[in-house]
Amino acid sequence: MDFRELRFARALQFTVQEINNSSDLLPGITLGYHIYDSCASVPMAIKVALQLANGLDLVFNNTDSCVKSAAVPALVGDSASTPAVTISRLLGPLGIPQVSHYATCACLSDKRQHPTFFRTIPSDHHQAAALARMVKHFGWTWIGAVCSDSDYGNNGMASFLKAAEQEGICVEYSEAYYRTQPHSKLKRVADVIRKSSARVIVAFVAAGDMRFLLEELSQQPPSPIQWIGSEAWVTDPQMLRFNLCVGAVGVGIPRSVIPGFRNFLLDLSPEQALKFPLLTEFWESSFSCSLKRQTGSSTGMPACDGTEDLQALQNPYTDTSQLRVTKMVYKATYAIAHALHGIICKEKQCDKNIKVEPRQVLDQLKRVNFTKNNYSVSFDINGDPVATYELVNWQVQGDGSVDFVTVGQYDASKPKGQEFSLSKSIIWYDGSEKVPVSVCSASCPPGTRKAVKKGRPICCYDCINCADGEVSNETDSLGCHKCLPEYWPNNEKDKCLPKPVEFLSWDEILGIILAAFSIAGSLAALSITLVFYKNRASPIVRANNSELSFLLLFSLTLCFLCSLTFIGRPTEWSCMLRHTAFGITFVLCISCVLGKTIVVLMAFKATLPGSNVMKWFGPPQQRLSVFGFTFVQVIICVLWIKIAPPFPYNNMQHYKEKIILECSLGSAIGFWVVLGYIGLLAFLCFVLAFLARKLPDNFNEAKFITFSMLIFCAVWITFIPAYVSSPGKFTVAVEIFAILASSFGLILCIFAPKCFIIVFRPEQNTKKHLMAKVPTKAL
């Protein structure tokens, strides 16, 4: 016997008695009732429905004063959804209203199939949404699902799976079982649960089916599981004996109080129990004795002696601390009473002789709206009440027992997103308040994206790092997005940061070293100029056009200093200045060297008999040649700046993670023409100096010019591939190095030997020594 269901039946008796004693509701009218036991069985439900439809007098309690009719005017029940569906389909065409206190199947809201069905308990549509929202709230994306293989379980699970899919929850398995199915089916369901990787199971199961399942699991307990239960079993006191479910969380009908109901339940004597077969069975089951005067040989139980005490019993019948569904019976009975009141009563006067037809009760039930003991009762167009649930948690008490603790609320009438609220901490299956984890794959942190595993649900995925230049700033991001061109991801790839701008700056070591060499070179040129000026009358200074020597030293000073324009943040003016200054100063320098080389050749040609070649290349011609060569370069630079000048440019192609701030050439042709013109003059100078290398002077300047041009050409030939292949700021560094190296080569090869003689060998600084013949030697 299910003592809890017996309590529901007794609640109907209590409510009818309370209504009959009321002076406000159906005054002067006495309600009667018939109570049938459907045994949660469809065949029995069909039998009962036929009896009710035909008015057969097969009842456990009959009131002689009841007006006989062909059919009952209204029905309370059934508890289970499947029998309730069966009864509704039989009584619906006859217009007999049915008000269920516990049938929650969403299918019963379909008025086309169940036009006369009402209920005081919310539809599973809301329960499924509440369970899905709860699973989502606690971050569980990988769960198992078990349901009763009945209308209640299958329809409820279908609603839950649909809601879970909308919430992004993946279900590893969904199994169904009914208690009358073979044990092999039950064992298979239990094995699926044991082998599952999901640590959370949603059980949309009737209490009787859940009892069988937990008994099977208890034989070989699985790893700890967090159970999420539907109201059918999660608030059933008889389930508390299963330790497997400690920490379970579920939705239940709100707990309530019915004044006087406990006293009514306990006010039962053996004589009263003998009048009703159900109560007789309850008494004998509870006290293990027989109410018959003789000891029944068939049962083997002793006779009851009258000392049995109902108050000492500890079972669901006497437990009124968790009146949830019992309250639904109370509401259902009152709803029918109010419908009857609307038919036979006007104000406080009721007509006992009015014959009540079921369809009249049906019409009145649609308009029922009242409040009893602070609980409102009404039905929507589907015959459903407003959906409100308590969130119930199975918690271990101080004495070691397990009890239901209300930890929150779910109110479907509130705006979306505000239905679910927690009021207390939940104690989970491991005894802690830390929410257990049940995911197929751990959350992907920012900086990664989810990649679904082939052939697996969407909750099973790999976390793939964002590609270069992409970020994701959310957990479980489905994709990464590219940073803007001026930005680059940080190391975690969860945010875009401005790219560092790179250029050859004054405060870095490379820039400082190059600037130091540049300044040192210019100071060396100025120092040599000072030495030459002090000794400008000496033969070695006057030997080869001292005017060109001073101009050469001046141009070398500019060459050293122009390299400084390559250091620092490029601007529009610095970009134009660095290339044009470099081109013009170097042409000026090479023009001076070329002039000196021609002077050497002409000087030795002039010593031949009858030669007057020097008059064609005297100082005016030398100055004119230098000016002419330089002027050509000036024209080239002016055209370059006029047509396509160099400009600052953010180079974001060479490096992905940083910006190279450089001077774009503007016109590559202009740059290479400038460089090519310098190379042409240098090559011409080298050829002439090479031809004059064997002239028989003790101090033949052509040899030193040849060496300087060798260095110059070697530097600038190697500069081309180095310049093209050097990345970023090193391109600028290569260009500066080429300028400094070639400048130092010129100053060391041409002027260092003369300075050495002037300072350390003054005895050789004579015209006689310089004009002395020396043997010819090959270089």
Side-chain angles (χ1 to χ4, degrees):
M1 170 171 279
D2 189 333
F3 293 154
R4 185 168 174 242
E5 287 286 345
L6 178 61
R7 174 163 32 96
F8 299 162
R10 293 282 285 164
L12 183 139
Q13 287 183 304
F14 170 79
T15 308
V16 169
Q17 179 178 301
E18 188 176 86
I19 293 170
N20 289 337
N21 293 332
S22 171
S23 59
D24 297 324
L25 186 62
L26 293 174
I29 300 296
T30 302
L31 291 181
Y33 54 86
H34 297 172
I35 298 177
Y36 292 82
D37 185 3
S38 67
C39 300
S41 167
V42 172
M44 286 295 293
I46 294 174
K47 179 181 177 182
V48 169
L50 292 174
Q51 289 173 344
L52 293 175
N54 291 283
L56 297 180
D57 193 20
L58 298 174
V59 296
F60 296 125
N61 184 42
N62 185 25
T63 304
D64 294 334
S65 60
C66 288
V67 177
K68 300 297 180 179
S69 61
V72 293
L75 167 69
V76 176
D78 194 334
S79 292
S81 290
T82 299
V85 169
T86 302
I87 294 173
S88 175
R89 284 175 176 164
L90 287 172
L91 300 185
L94 302 176
I96 299 176
Q98 175 185 357
V99 184
S100 177
H101 57 283
Y102 209 9
T104 58
C105 179
C107 59
L108 288 164
S109 296
D110 187 352
K111 291 293 106 177
R112 291 175 299 178
Q113 296 190 43
H114 308 283
T116 64
F117 183 84
F118 300 84
R119 54 183 157 198
T120 52
I121 191 169
S123 165
D124 282 339
H125 170 75
H126 300 290
Q127 183 176 195
L131 292 175
R133 192 69 54 82
M134 183 194 306
V135 172
K136 180 68 173 181
H137 176 80
F138 293 114
W140 300 318
T141 57
W142 187 240
I143 64 171
V146 180
C147 68
S148 292
D149 196 0
S150 62
D151 288 316
Y152 166 75
N154 292 328
N155 285 278
M157 184 54 66
S159 297
F160 170 77
L161 293 177
K162 182 179 179 179
E165 183 180 5
Q166 293 173 350
E167 296 287 354
I169 300 165
C170 296
V171 179
E172 183 181 6
Y173 59 87
S174 179
E175 296 291 334
Y177 171 74
Y178 192 68
R179 59 184 178 273
T180 59
Q181 291 175 346
H183 183 264
S184 58
K185 176 71 177 294
L186 176 64
K187 188 175 184 304
R188 189 186 68 79
V189 173
D191 288 339
V192 169
I193 293 174
R194 292 187 185 102
K195 297 175 182 178
S196 167
S197 61
R199 294 296 88 207
V200 173
I201 298 180
V202 175
F204 223 107
V205 185
D209 301 331
M210 191 68 181
R211 194 175 301 117
F212 277 93
L213 178 60
L214 293 178
E215 287 173 353
E216 179 65 26
L217 288 173
S218 298
Q219 297 179 12
Q220 188 180 343
S223 301
I225 292 172
Q226 179 59 51
W227 291 92
I228 305 298
S230 62
E231 38 69 38
W233 70 270
V234 82
T235 56
D236 188 343
Q238 296 185 68
M239 305 301 297
L240 291 175
R241 63 188 178 91
F242 293 101
N243 292 330
L244 284 174
C245 295
V246 171
V249 180
V251 295
I253 305 305
R255 185 186 303 190
S256 59
V257 176
I258 302 177
F261 182 56
R262 178 173 174 79
N263 293 334
F264 175 81
L265 292 176
L266 299 179
D267 186 16
L268 181 65
S269 65
E271 291 76 17
Q272 291 174 316
L274 269 173
K275 295 179 181 179
F276 306 103
L278 284 178
L279 295 179
T280 301
E281 185 179 352
F282 158 70
W283 192 279
E284 293 180 345
S285 298
S286 300
F287 298 111
S288 299
C289 66
S290 174
L291 277 177
K292 295 179 181 180
R293 296 195 178 275
Q294 305 90 4
T295 300
S297 58
S298 60
T299 61
M301 294 187 297
C304 298
D305 56 10
T307 61
E308 298 81 20
D309 186 7
L310 278 177
Q311 295 191 13
L313 284 179
Q314 296 292 329
N315 64 27
Y317 174 82
T318 59
D319 183 9
T320 58
S321 62
Q322 299 278 342
L323 294 182
R324 301 178 187 275
V325 181
T326 305
K327 185 69 176 182
M328 301 298 104
V329 179
Y330 188 76
K331 286 183 176 182
T333 308
Y334 260 100
I336 294 174
H338 275 270
L340 292 171
H341 185 92
I343 297 171
I344 63 176
C345 300
K346 292 184 179 179
E347 296 181 354
K348 291 189 177 182
Q349 298 295 323
C350 300
D351 186 354
K352 298 180 181 180
N353 298 317
I354 294 178
K355 185 177 181 180
V356 178
E357 294 295 334
R359 293 193 182 277
Q360 292 178 292
V361 180
L362 175 64
D363 292 337
Q364 287 293 324
L365 278 173
K366 295 176 181 178
R367 295 190 287 270
V368 160
N369 190 346
F370 65 93
T371 301
K372 179 66 177 178
N373 295 337
N374 296 323
Y375 296 103
S376 61
V377 179
S378 62
F379 304 105
D380 62 16
I381 58 174
N382 295 320
D384 295 328
V386 175
T388 57
Y389 296 100
E390 284 184 350
L391 302 182
V392 180
N393 182 209
W394 289 24
Q395 294 186 8
V396 179
Q397 306 302 302
D399 59 358
S401 63
V402 180
D403 199 5
F404 306 121
V405 176
T406 300
V407 294
Q409 303 287 333
Y410 181 88
D411 189 346
S413 64
K414 290 186 177 181
K416 188 173 183 179
Q418 301 178 18
E419 309 99 328
F420 183 71
S421 63
L422 284 177
S423 57
K424 290 183 181 179
S425 298
I426 297 176
I427 307 300
W428 304 102
Y429 66 82
D430 56 358
S432 71
E433 296 183 14
K434 183 180 180 181
V435 179
V437 177
S438 184
V439 294
C440 182
S441 300
S443 294
C444 291
T448 62
R449 63 175 178 85
K450 295 198 297 187
V452 178
K453 295 180 179 178
K454 188 175 182 180
R456 300 295 303 278
I458 60 172
C459 299
C460 301
Y461 48 80
D462 293 317
C463 295
I464 307 298
N465 290 327
C466 290
D468 289 343
E470 296 182 347
V471 297
S472 66
N473 54 10
E474 296 178 350
T475 301
D476 289 334
S477 177
L478 295 177
C480 303
H481 60 271
K482 285 185 174 294
C483 294
L484 294 174
E486 298 82 10
Y487 291 81
W488 191 255
N490 58 356
N491 291 334
E492 292 76 23
K493 293 188 176 181
D494 58 359
K495 64 174 66 173
C496 293
L497 301 176
K499 288 182 180 180
V501 179
E502 183 181 88
F503 56 89
L504 187 61
S505 63
W506 292 101
D507 54 358
E508 62 178 293
I509 295 177
L510 182 59
I512 293 172
I513 292 173
L514 292 174
F517 274 99
S518 177
I519 294 172
S522 62
L523 291 176
L526 291 174
S527 299
I528 294 171
T529 302
L530 183 61
V531 171
F532 269 46
Y533 183 77
K534 286 185 176 182
N535 297 274
R536 60 186 178 278
S538 63
I540 200 167
V541 175
R542 298 180 60 191
N544 192 359
N545 196 337
S546 59
E547 186 178 338
L548 285 180
S549 296
F550 283 111
L551 187 58
L552 177 58
L553 286 169
F554 171 71
S555 64
L556 284 172
T557 303
L558 294 179
C559 286
F560 282 117
L561 293 177
C562 82
S563 63
L564 296 177
T565 62
F566 288 83
I567 304 174
R569 177 181 286 272
T571 63
E572 186 175 350
W573 284 102
S574 68
C575 286
M576 290 190 292
L577 179 62
R578 64 171 59 171
H579 289 100
T580 54
F582 154 70
I584 293 171
T585 55
F586 258 80
V587 165
L588 178 60
C589 177
I590 299 301
S591 298
C592 292
V593 175
L594 183 58
K596 290 173 71 68
T597 306
I598 295 174
V599 168
V600 172
L601 282 173
M602 294 301 178
F604 280 96
K605 290 289 185 181
T607 59
L608 297 176
S611 176
N612 59 350
V613 70
M614 282 304 295
K615 73 177 183 179
W616 299 107
F617 203 73
Q621 287 81 10
Q622 294 170 21
R623 287 192 292 269
L624 184 61
S625 66
V626 170
F627 173 78
F629 288 135
T630 306
F631 183 73
V632 172
Q633 185 73 311
V634 171
I635 294 299
I636 295 173
C637 291
V638 169
L639 290 174
W640 181 14
I641 292 174
K642 192 70 175 176
I643 298 172
F647 59 90
Y649 169 66
N650 290 333
N651 186 344
M652 291 180 283
Q653 285 74 42
H654 199 90
Y655 291 105
K656 295 179 180 179
E657 70 280 3
K658 58 185 176 182
I659 298 174
I660 305 298
L661 184 56
E662 60 186 15
C663 285
S664 175
L665 296 176
S667 171
I669 296 176
F671 174 75
W672 292 110
V673 168
V674 168
L675 204 62
Y677 184 64
I678 295 173
L680 177 64
L681 294 180
F683 178 75
L684 180 61
C685 186
F686 171 72
V687 171
L688 294 177
F690 185 79
L691 294 175
R693 75 190 188 283
K694 295 183 179 181
L695 296 177
D697 253 6
N698 199 18
F699 184 81
N700 186 355
E701 194 175 25
K703 292 186 292 186
F704 301 109
I705 293 174
T706 303
F707 281 119
S708 67
M709 288 298 100
L710 276 174
I711 295 173
F712 186 92
C713 293
V715 167
W716 286 99
I717 289 173
T718 55
F719 160 78
I720 295 173
Y723 179 83
V724 172
S725 61
S726 296
K729 62 184 178 181
F730 297 105
T731 303
V732 178
V734 166
E735 197 166 355
I736 295 174
F737 176 79
I739 293 171
L740 294 178
S742 55
S743 299
F744 274 112
L746 289 172
I747 204 168
L748 289 174
C749 291
I750 296 176
F751 294 102
K754 294 181 180 181
C755 288
F756 180 79
I757 291 174
I758 292 172
V759 176
F760 299 105
R761 298 286 189 271
E763 69 275 6
Q764 296 181 7
N765 191 5
T766 62
K767 186 174 181 179
K768 181 180 178 181
H769 180 77
L770 293 176
M771 298 299 293
K773 301 294 183 180
V774 296
T776 302
K777 296 179 181 179
L779 287 176

